[in-house]
Amino acid sequence: MGDYQVLRRLGSGGMADVYAAKHLKLRRDAALKVLRRTPQTSQEDLQRFEREAQAAASLNHPSIVQVYEIGDHQGTHFIAQELIDGSNLKQCLQQSGQFTAKDGIEILRCVTEALVVAHKAGVTHRDIKPENIMRSGDGAIKVTDFGLARVLSNTDASAADLTRAGLTLGTPRYMSPEQIQGHKVDGRSDLYSLGVTLYHLLAGQPPFDAEEPLALAVKHLHEMPQPLDHARGS
C-alpha cells in the first residue's frame, strides 16, 4: 500500500481495519488504520477519518499514539501511526482480571496527562474506553483512536455537522450524560468516560450494564453505581 508493506492484520474497529506494516524506505514499523469501504461509506465518513488523523497529529505527548501520515492509495484511505507492541486495556482485563489500585493510579496519571494536552489544543477525544488505551510491552500507556474527536476551530464550518453525526458513535457504556443527551461536550466529558473506564478496570466490570444501548444510557442519567469497594469485593 504505497510505501508500506502490510505484514498482518491486528484487528478492526467500527469503521476501519488495522494492520501491522513497515515503511519500505524508512524501515519504520507502523500501524495502518485502513478505512473500510462499503456501499454505505460516505464523504462524511472520509471527513471523519481524516479528522482523526488531523486531531491526533496535532498532539505531542508520550501517552498519545503518534500519527505519521494520512494517505490515499488507489482510493483506499489510511492513517499510518505508531505501532504499539502490546494490548489494549480491555484485552489486559480479559487476560488478567481486575487491575490493582497501583496500576489503576498509573493509568489514570498517564491518560489524564494526555487529555490535558489534547484539551489545551481544543481537542475532545469523545470515546475514552479500555479499548482505546494501549499498554505496551514495557508498560507505557498510550491513548489511541481520536476518530470521534472534535477539533474546536471556528474556521472549520464542518465541525458542527461532524459532531452531530458522531453523537451516536460513542460507546454508551462509557459516555457522559451530556454526550448521551446530545448536548455540547468538552474535556469534562472525557474525564467522566475516564472515570467509568477506571471503575471498570478496578472492579472488573463497568458501573452500569444493560443489553440495550438505550437502557444503558438511561442508567448513566438516573442511577448511581455500586460503591467501588463493594464492586471489588473488598
Side-chain angles (χ1 to χ4, degrees):
M1 184 173 292
D3 292 327
Y4 293 91
Q5 179 183 1
V6 178
L7 302 176
R8 65 187 184 278
R9 181 173 174 171
L10 298 176
S12 62
M15 59 185 291
D17 298 310
V18 184
Y19 300 88
K22 182 177 287 292
H23 194 286
L24 296 175
K25 295 179 181 178
L26 299 178
R27 291 294 175 187
R28 178 172 63 185
D29 292 331
L32 289 186
K33 190 166 189 179
V34 181
L35 183 63
R36 198 179 303 117
R37 295 305 299 265
T38 69
Q40 291 75 37
T41 301
S42 65
Q43 187 62 32
E44 187 176 279
D45 292 327
L46 297 178
Q47 289 178 312
R48 188 177 298 113
F49 191 72
E50 292 179 357
R51 183 173 296 280
E52 171 176 347
Q54 293 166 352
S58 69
L59 307 175
N60 182 23
H61 189 273
S63 291
I64 297 177
V65 170
Q66 182 181 0
V67 170
Y68 298 142
E69 67 170 306
I70 182 170
D72 177 0
H73 178 67
Q74 299 178 356
T76 299
H77 296 262
F78 67 90
I79 295 172
Q81 60 188 35
E82 179 183 3
L83 178 64
I84 307 299
D85 180 19
S87 305
N88 66 52
L89 297 189
K90 180 179 180 180
Q91 294 169 329
C92 294
L93 192 62
Q94 292 170 337
Q95 293 164 3
S96 305
Q98 65 186 37
F99 285 58
T100 66
K102 180 180 179 181
D103 285 343
I105 290 171
E106 178 62 13
I107 291 166
L108 181 66
R109 182 187 67 81
C110 293
V111 177
T112 302
E113 289 179 356
L115 290 176
V116 166
V117 171
H119 296 163
K120 284 183 177 179
V123 176
T124 306
H125 189 287
R126 297 176 62 84
D127 199 21
I128 293 293
K129 57 184 178 181
E131 296 95 313
N132 285 339
I133 304 172
M134 301 287 296
R135 183 162 66 182
S136 68
D138 62 3
I141 299 298
K142 302 271 189 175
V143 181
T144 187
D145 196 358
F146 277 78
L148 300 180
R150 178 188 181 198
V151 180
L152 303 177
S153 170
N154 293 329
T155 61
D156 186 354
S158 66
D161 291 336
L162 287 177
T163 300
R164 283 194 291 270
L167 284 176
T168 60
L169 297 180
T171 307
R173 183 169 287 128
Y174 306 96
M175 286 171 67
S176 67
E178 60 267 31
Q179 188 175 4
I180 288 170
Q181 296 178 91
H183 297 162
K184 181 179 179 181
V185 301
D186 55 27
R188 291 170 292 183
S189 180
D190 283 345
L191 296 181
Y192 181 93
S193 298
L194 177 57
V196 177
T197 295
L198 189 64
Y199 185 108
H200 191 173
L201 298 179
L202 292 175
Q205 59 187 14
F208 304 115
D209 218 341
E211 292 186 4
E212 296 295 329
L214 181 58
L216 184 58
V218 169
K219 289 187 176 183
H220 278 278
L221 295 174
H222 300 296
E223 294 189 14
M224 290 289 290
Q226 184 182 20
L228 186 56
D229 57 341
H230 293 179
R232 282 176 60 86
S234 59

